[in-house]
């Protein structure tokens, strides 16, 4: 579908993005958990002694985790359309997607620990 009106295109793209977020919040358990962690993280950031820039940085890094999870879920759904039977290639693809999220979560844990320890020491 081609839109000659850029504003209408922006509105529709935003609508589709929000529909995707709503679907993930309603149906994707990992994304639901990550959203709960995000909410808890925001509350924790309100009380821990980090400067504003570091709080924004930690928030942005967790939003990247959530974005990775959306990509993971979307591609896994596509894999399921290809073949619902076990295929080693599909399993490998799903495992690699999961690994990408895992690496980002691990990196976020490292960041939190490093910045909190630094704040305590200084």
């Amino acid at each position: 579908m081609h839109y000659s009106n850029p504003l209408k295109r922006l509105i529709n793209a935003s609508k589709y993005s929000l529909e995707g977020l709503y679907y993930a919040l309603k149906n994707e358990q990992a994304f639901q958990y990550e959203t709960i962690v995000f909410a808890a993280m925001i509350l924790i950031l309100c009380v821990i002694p980090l400067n504003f820039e570091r709080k924004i940085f930690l928030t942005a890094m967790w939003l990247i985790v959530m974005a990775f999870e959306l990509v993971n879920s979307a591609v896994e759904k596509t894999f399921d359309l290809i073949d619902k039977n076990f295929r080693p290639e599909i399993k490998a693809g799903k495992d690699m997607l999961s690994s990408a999220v895992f690496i980002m979560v691990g990196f976020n844990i490292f960041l939190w620990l490093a910045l909190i320890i630094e704040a305590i020491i200084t």
Side-chain angles (χ1 to χ4, degrees):
M1 185 178 299
H2 176 70
Y3 295 104
S4 58
N5 182 338
L7 181 60
K8 186 172 183 172
R9 168 81 174 97
L10 176 64
I11 290 168
N12 284 332
S14 298
K15 178 183 161 224
Y16 300 143
S17 296
L18 291 173
E19 287 173 356
L21 278 174
Y22 177 76
Y23 180 89
L25 283 168
K26 186 177 174 190
N27 299 293
E28 297 296 328
Q29 190 174 48
F31 191 76
Q32 292 166 351
Y33 292 156
E34 289 160 1
T35 302
I36 292 167
V37 169
F38 181 72
M41 185 188 81
I42 295 299
L43 294 174
I44 293 167
L45 285 173
C46 289
V47 297
I48 62 173
L50 292 175
N51 67 34
F52 181 73
E53 292 81 13
R54 292 194 174 176
K55 290 179 181 186
I56 292 296
F57 178 66
L58 288 173
T59 301
M61 291 308 296
W62 191 256
L63 288 171
I64 292 171
V65 168
M66 295 175 74
F68 267 69
E69 187 61 52
L70 289 169
V71 171
N72 176 32
S73 296
V75 177
E76 282 192 0
K77 292 215 172 299
T78 303
F79 281 155
D80 289 342
L81 290 173
I82 294 169
D83 193 344
K84 291 198 185 273
N85 297 319
F86 177 81
R87 287 180 53 184
E89 303 87 0
I90 290 177
K91 180 188 181 316
K94 287 183 174 188
D95 290 349
M96 286 185 278
L97 287 162
S98 179
S99 294
V101 176
F102 181 78
I103 288 168
M104 286 304 302
V105 169
F107 182 63
N108 270 263
I109 292 168
F110 169 78
L111 283 175
W112 273 81
L113 292 173
L115 292 177
I116 289 171
I117 290 169
E118 180 186 53
I120 291 169
I121 292 173
T122 58

